[in-house]
């Protein structure tokens, strides 16, 4: 019987680096085996660059109109194949579209190892995107579209070796800046995807801590790992309670990024349920159960995003908490009706052991309030209700600080990991009342995302806070542009952008 070895490398993307460089057109045609050429919509009447080897009439005869996202592969006897990539109307482009188009190009030539994308002189200005932003978006789009996580014998699809960005001499410096930023972001996203896709037998809480030490230290982070005995001393009853049914010990991992003169202080908290069976409240045996290795996507996003902060010049200090354990059924597992005592002394009656994410995060939220902090953001695959509300492309967000929620919304829009606000409707708080404890871990059958948010708010001690529910976005049923099928790693780009843009809120809390 073939099984995955427990020592299988959970982060293979960190071991392999794709070469990304800014080059001349001649160098690209000499080295690449596929060259993308942006082509505007035919209605614009602008002929494509000569390098494409055909004109608008020739493209039209093949059904290519230049609409957004359209691709046409044109084999050549000499040099790399050319790929016409439709950009639609000029002047209506933004980095999101460029990233998507670069990904469409990468997917159009899945058998080619050396790719190149042309940014002819002046083109980026005509498109309404700066050279640096264009190069960054292209780098992210191609690298993430061609990322894959595969366990077993090598698949037929070859690994990407290089990406060449063609720019004029005057645009080279700006393009190189964009390429470097894109490479850093793509590497962080790939790390997050690796972790979210790694089988749970391999990526235990202990192994997650080992990965955090390895990649966190390399990225200039201070990494602290807390074992079960330390968690008992700290009174982290939520994490310990969820862990009771597992043979794997829990871990809390604290990461610190500390610039010399921080412009603000952020705490990021990630749900790290390495595998969620539901505990005694066992999940149904269907496809969603098989996806529960991704229930640590929040923790993966916090770790992955923080590995990029130093190299991107983040000025805010960031502390990350990864709350890691399995949620398993066994003779020692947490039972319905049990009462847990959280880090801050709050007692919680457990009405559903499958509402475990909020329990482990409650301890971290309480810990985050014990240090100076301007904003707390937690991210978690928390509620199926959020999936049913927003589907697989939009995450939910709610919080007590309009400023923090708005900064998350703007960050999500900028990097194409969108979030949509849900209300913290506080009259629903009564659904969490318990007759024997301070509160229960479940509300009623309706508004599950909101009552989960209200539960978490109980542990932030009035500090500015927002909660991001990625239950829907953490798993995609099919590839789309730069997004992969399977565990998506959603949240890494969002948290990077949020930290880079962060300004301490001045509006207080609602």
């Amino acid at each position: 019987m073939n099984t995955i070895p427990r020592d299988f490398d959970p982060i293979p993307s960190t071991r392999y680096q794709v070469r990304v460089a800014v080059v001349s057109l001649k160098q690209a045609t000499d080295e690449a085996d596929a060259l993308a050429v942006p082509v505007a919509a035919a209605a614009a009447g602008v002929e494509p660059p000569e390098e494409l080897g055909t004109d608008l009439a020739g493209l039209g005869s093949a059904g290519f109109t230049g609409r957004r996202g359209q691709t046409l592969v044109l084999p050549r006897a000499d040099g790399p194949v050319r790929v016409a990539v439709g950009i639609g109307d000029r002047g209506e482009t933004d980095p999101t579209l460029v990233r998507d188009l670069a990904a469409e190009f990468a997917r159009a030539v899945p058998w080619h190892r050396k790719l190149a994308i042309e940014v002819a002189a002046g083109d980026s200005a005509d498109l309404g995107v700066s050279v640096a932003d264009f190069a960054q978006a292209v780098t992210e789009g191609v690298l993430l579209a061609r990322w894959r996580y595969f366990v077993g014998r090598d698949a037929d699809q070859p690994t990407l070796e290089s990406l060449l960005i063609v720019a004029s001499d005057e645009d080279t410096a700006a393009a190189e800046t964009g390429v470097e930023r894109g490479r850093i972001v793509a590497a962080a996203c790939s790390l997050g995807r690796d972790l979210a896709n790694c089988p749970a037998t391999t990526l235990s809480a202990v192994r997650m801590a080992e990965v955090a030490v390895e990649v966190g230290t390399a990225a200039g982070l201070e990494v602290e790992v807390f074992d079960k005995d330390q968690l008992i001393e700290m009174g982290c009853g939520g994490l310990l309670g969820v862990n009771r049914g597992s043979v794997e010990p829990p871990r809390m991992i604290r990461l610190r990024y500390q610039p010399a003169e921080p412009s603000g202080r952020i705490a990021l908290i990630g749900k790290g349920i390495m595998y969620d069976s539901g505990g005694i409240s066992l999940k149904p045996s269907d496809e969603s159960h098989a996806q529960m290795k991704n229930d640590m996507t929040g923790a993966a996003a916090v770790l992955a995003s923080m590995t990029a902060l130093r190299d991107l010049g983040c000025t805010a200090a960031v502390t990350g908490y990864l709350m890691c354990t399995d949620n398993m059924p066994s003779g020692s597992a947490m039972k319905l009706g049990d009462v847990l005592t959280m880090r801050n002394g709050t007692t919680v009656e457990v009405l559903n052991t499958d509402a475990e994410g909020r329990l482990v995060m409650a301890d971290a939220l309480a810990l985050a309030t014990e240090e100076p902090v301007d904003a707390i953001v937690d991210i978690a695959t928390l509620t199926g209700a959020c999936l049913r509300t927003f589907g697989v492309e939009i995450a939910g967000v709610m919080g007590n600080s309009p400023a923090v929620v708005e900064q998350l919304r703007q960050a999500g829009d900028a990097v194409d990991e969108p979030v949509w606000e849900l209300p913290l409707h506080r009259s629903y708080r009564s659904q969490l009342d318990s007759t024997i404890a301070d509160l229960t871990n479940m509300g009623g059958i309706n508004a599950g995302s909101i009552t989960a948010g209200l539960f978490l708010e109980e542990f932030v001690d009035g500090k500015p806070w927002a909660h991001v529910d990625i239950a829907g976005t953490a798993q995609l049923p099919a590839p789309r542009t730069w997004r992969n099928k399977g565990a998506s790693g959603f949240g890494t780009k969002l948290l990077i952008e949020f930290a880079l843009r962060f300004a301490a809120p001045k509006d207080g809390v609602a």
Side-chain angles (χ1 to χ4, degrees):
M1 178 179 178
N2 287 328
T3 58
I4 299 163
R6 293 175 67 87
D7 59 354
F8 181 83
D9 186 2
I11 51 172
S13 70
T14 64
R15 319 302 182 195
Y16 182 82
Q17 298 296 320
V18 177
R19 174 185 172 232
V20 187
V22 180
V23 301
S24 66
L25 178 59
K26 182 180 185 306
Q27 186 175 349
T29 55
D30 286 344
E31 297 183 14
D33 48 26
L35 171 66
V37 181
V39 178
V46 179
E47 291 290 339
E50 293 182 2
E51 301 84 63
L52 193 58
T54 188
D55 57 13
L56 284 177
L59 293 172
S61 67
F64 182 89
T65 63
R67 63 176 170 78
R68 292 187 177 193
Q70 190 177 20
T71 58
L72 178 65
V73 179
L74 301 168
R76 293 278 292 262
D78 58 330
V81 301
R82 267 58 166 184
V83 182
V85 180
I87 61 174
D89 295 331
R90 287 177 175 269
E92 298 181 1
T93 308
D94 57 24
T96 293
L97 177 60
V98 174
R99 189 184 301 112
D100 287 350
L101 296 180
E104 295 290 0
F105 159 60
R107 293 192 188 280
V109 286
W111 306 107
H112 294 73
R113 296 177 181 272
K114 301 175 181 179
L115 308 185
I117 295 185
E118 182 177 6
V119 187
D123 270 8
S124 59
D126 293 341
L127 293 173
V129 181
S130 71
V131 170
D133 287 347
F134 190 100
Q136 178 177 347
V138 162
T139 302
E140 291 178 18
V142 170
L143 296 186
L144 293 175
R146 288 292 291 267
W147 170 94
R148 66 175 184 145
Y149 191 95
F150 183 78
V151 177
R153 297 177 180 175
D154 286 340
D156 292 334
Q157 184 174 334
T159 301
L160 181 66
E161 294 180 2
S162 63
L163 169 63
L164 305 178
I165 310 294
V166 179
S168 62
D169 290 344
E170 58 267 31
D171 289 340
T172 295
E176 288 177 341
T177 298
V179 162
E180 180 62 11
R181 291 178 65 85
R183 185 195 61 76
I184 294 166
V185 171
C189 290
S190 296
L191 171 61
R193 287 180 176 182
D194 282 359
L195 293 168
N197 280 277
C198 186
T201 299
T202 296
L203 190 62
S204 64
V206 171
R207 187 72 179 95
M208 182 73 166
E210 294 169 351
V211 169
V213 170
E214 176 187 347
V215 300
T217 302
L221 306 177
E222 176 188 335
V223 184
E224 300 172 273
V225 177
F226 299 84
D227 63 17
K228 184 174 182 177
D229 289 340
Q230 291 170 301
L231 292 168
I232 292 172
E233 291 180 7
M234 295 166 66
C236 292
L239 182 55
L240 292 165
V242 175
N243 179 252
R244 284 200 326 231
S246 178
V247 298
E248 298 284 351
R251 291 291 185 268
M252 186 184 83
I253 304 143
R254 184 161 60 195
L255 312 166
R256 295 190 190 275
Y257 168 73
Q258 184 69 36
E261 297 182 3
S263 57
R265 299 184 182 277
I266 306 169
L268 300 178
I269 293 162
K271 174 185 173 183
I273 303 300
M274 312 310 293
Y275 183 79
D276 182 18
S277 70
I280 297 298
S281 305
L282 194 67
K283 292 179 182 293
S285 183
D286 58 16
E287 184 180 1
S288 66
H289 201 158
Q291 296 171 358
M292 284 301 102
K293 65 180 183 180
N294 79 8
D295 210 22
M296 39 64 68
T297 301
V302 171
L303 172 58
S305 65
M306 290 186 66
T307 64
L309 298 182
R310 178 193 62 189
D311 291 344
L312 292 176
C314 179
T315 60
V318 182
T319 301
Y321 297 85
L322 316 183
M323 308 302 286
C324 301
T325 178
D326 291 325
N327 182 28
M328 299 293 287
S330 75
S332 61
M334 178 174 63
K335 302 173 181 67
L336 278 70
D338 281 355
V339 175
L340 307 178
T341 302
M342 304 293 141
R343 163 70 182 183
N344 68 351
T346 299
T347 55
V348 178
E349 181 185 8
V350 178
L351 298 185
N352 188 327
T353 64
D354 195 25
E356 85 298 331
R358 65 201 69 183
L359 298 175
V360 305
M361 291 163 63
D363 288 331
L365 288 167
L367 283 166
T369 67
E370 295 172 14
E371 299 184 359
V373 67
D374 296 313
I376 302 171
V377 174
D378 72 72
I379 183 166
T381 47
L382 206 64
T383 65
C386 200
L387 167 61
R388 289 185 286 275
T389 301
F390 293 126
V392 298
E393 296 183 13
I394 303 171
V397 65
M398 62 196 83
N400 63 10
S401 168
V404 175
V405 170
E406 177 61 16
Q407 288 184 54
L408 284 165
R409 188 195 64 77
Q410 292 179 5
D413 288 347
V415 301
D416 199 18
E417 288 193 338
V419 300
W420 196 275
E421 185 174 8
L422 288 168
L424 275 177
H425 192 59
R426 290 190 173 85
S427 67
Y428 292 167
R429 167 60 182 80
S430 61
Q431 295 181 32
L432 300 173
D433 289 342
S434 168
T435 57
I436 64 170
D438 293 318
L439 68 162
T440 67
N441 74 327
M442 281 290 289
I445 62 173
N446 298 315
S449 297
I450 295 173
T451 55
L454 290 167
F455 178 93
L456 295 174
E457 188 183 23
E458 293 288 315
F459 299 89
V460 302
D461 194 30
K463 301 290 195 301
W465 156 81
H467 158 60
V468 181
D469 192 332
I470 57 173
T473 56
Q475 186 84 18
L476 295 182
R480 186 174 68 84
T481 62
W482 53 272
R483 300 161 181 85
N484 62 298
K485 178 181 178 179
S488 67
F490 185 103
T492 299
K493 282 157 58 69
L494 171 69
L495 295 180
I496 290 173
E497 190 71 12
F498 172 76
L500 294 177
R501 291 170 172 245
F502 180 70
K506 300 177 181 179
D507 61 359
V509 296

